[in-house]
Amino acid sequence: MVVLKLLLAMVIGYLLGSIPFGLIVSKLQAKVDIRDYGSGRTGGTNVLRTLGRKAFVIVAAGDMLKAATSVLIAWWIMHDQHFTVGNIIIGDHAARSIAGVCAIIGHIFPVFARFRGGRGVATFIGGLAAICPVAALFGGEVLLLGASISGFASLGSMISVVCAYIIMIPLTVIYGVPREYLVYVLFGVVIIFVAHRDNIKRLLSGKERKISQKTTPNSSMNKI
């Protein structure tokens, strides 16, 4: 029964993560499909370049909220319950982390948008905010600072998730934050770096597009 509850939390996390706020906002605000512009992604950066700051704020907030909600629902479903796999105890802390990871995966591969989503950074931050607000705040500040200084959203994003992981280590070892949350951040870092693999290639080759550069319909170059 407890295993089924965990599976339910995972499915809910994925489905909530799959809500394509970027696509919804682009359809409502501009009557366009955001996937036909720039990178073809539904995430905040593409929305910012295509539709502007107001749309970006709405989309970023939605992408964070869906992960935070996934984590809270997992806590509600699994609260004070657990099961063991070998010597590993899987309880509500693990359920929150797993549901958060599922939300990130849902955001990147959304079932409601033909599996074409964003890169998962805002969703990662939202899930982290629900399990460790201090680390989420730190990661978010690094994201804004890194993107502002470098001019590259992708670089700021990758630096921010690494910094979130770094700060989680002393929070876990010294202050007793559950180890399952550190695992959430580690998985998030790996997933987000994989989602940014094309950005990494363009950064290394000097071809990455900056935040300030506007998108055009059906652009096939310098996608981010």
Side-chain angles (χ1 to χ4, degrees), residues 8-190:
L8 176 61
M10 292 171 65
V11 171
I12 291 174
Y14 172 76
L15 292 177
L16 285 176
S18 291
I19 299 174
F21 283 105
L23 180 58
I24 293 170
V25 170
S26 69
K27 291 281 190 180
L28 292 176
Q29 178 174 313
K31 303 296 189 293
V32 300
D33 187 331
I34 192 66
R35 296 171 299 177
D36 292 334
Y37 289 76
S39 66
R41 298 278 183 165
T42 62
T45 300
N46 201 31
V47 170
L48 176 63
R49 289 183 177 146
T50 306
L51 302 176
R53 293 183 180 180
K54 181 179 179 181
F56 164 76
V57 171
I58 295 171
V59 171
D63 287 344
M64 288 189 288
L65 181 61
K66 63 189 183 184
T69 302
S70 299
V71 171
L72 294 175
I73 289 175
W75 169 80
W76 178 71
I77 291 174
M78 289 283 292
H79 187 52
D80 289 335
Q81 299 183 66
H82 68 273
F83 64 95
T84 59
V85 178
N87 295 323
I88 301 174
I89 299 175
I90 299 178
D92 64 337
H93 294 311
R96 293 182 226 184
S97 298
I98 294 170
V101 170
C102 288
I104 297 171
I105 295 172
H107 176 79
I108 297 172
F109 303 107
V111 67
F112 303 128
R114 302 177 186 175
F115 304 101
R116 292 171 57 196
R119 300 193 192 271
V121 180
T123 310
F124 167 83
I125 295 292
L128 187 58
I131 60 177
C132 187
V134 173
L137 181 61
F138 180 71
E141 290 177 346
V142 171
L143 170 57
L144 294 175
L145 186 61
S148 298
I149 293 174
S150 69
F152 298 111
S154 56
L155 183 59
S157 296
M158 289 184 285
I159 292 174
S160 73
V161 297
V162 170
C163 287
Y165 178 73
I166 291 172
I167 197 174
M168 280 294 292
I169 295 174
L171 289 174
T172 302
V173 175
I174 300 174
Y175 295 100
V177 171
R179 288 175 294 177
E180 293 88 342
Y181 298 166
L182 180 62
V183 174
Y184 164 80
V185 179
L186 177 59
F187 270 91
V189 170
V190 172

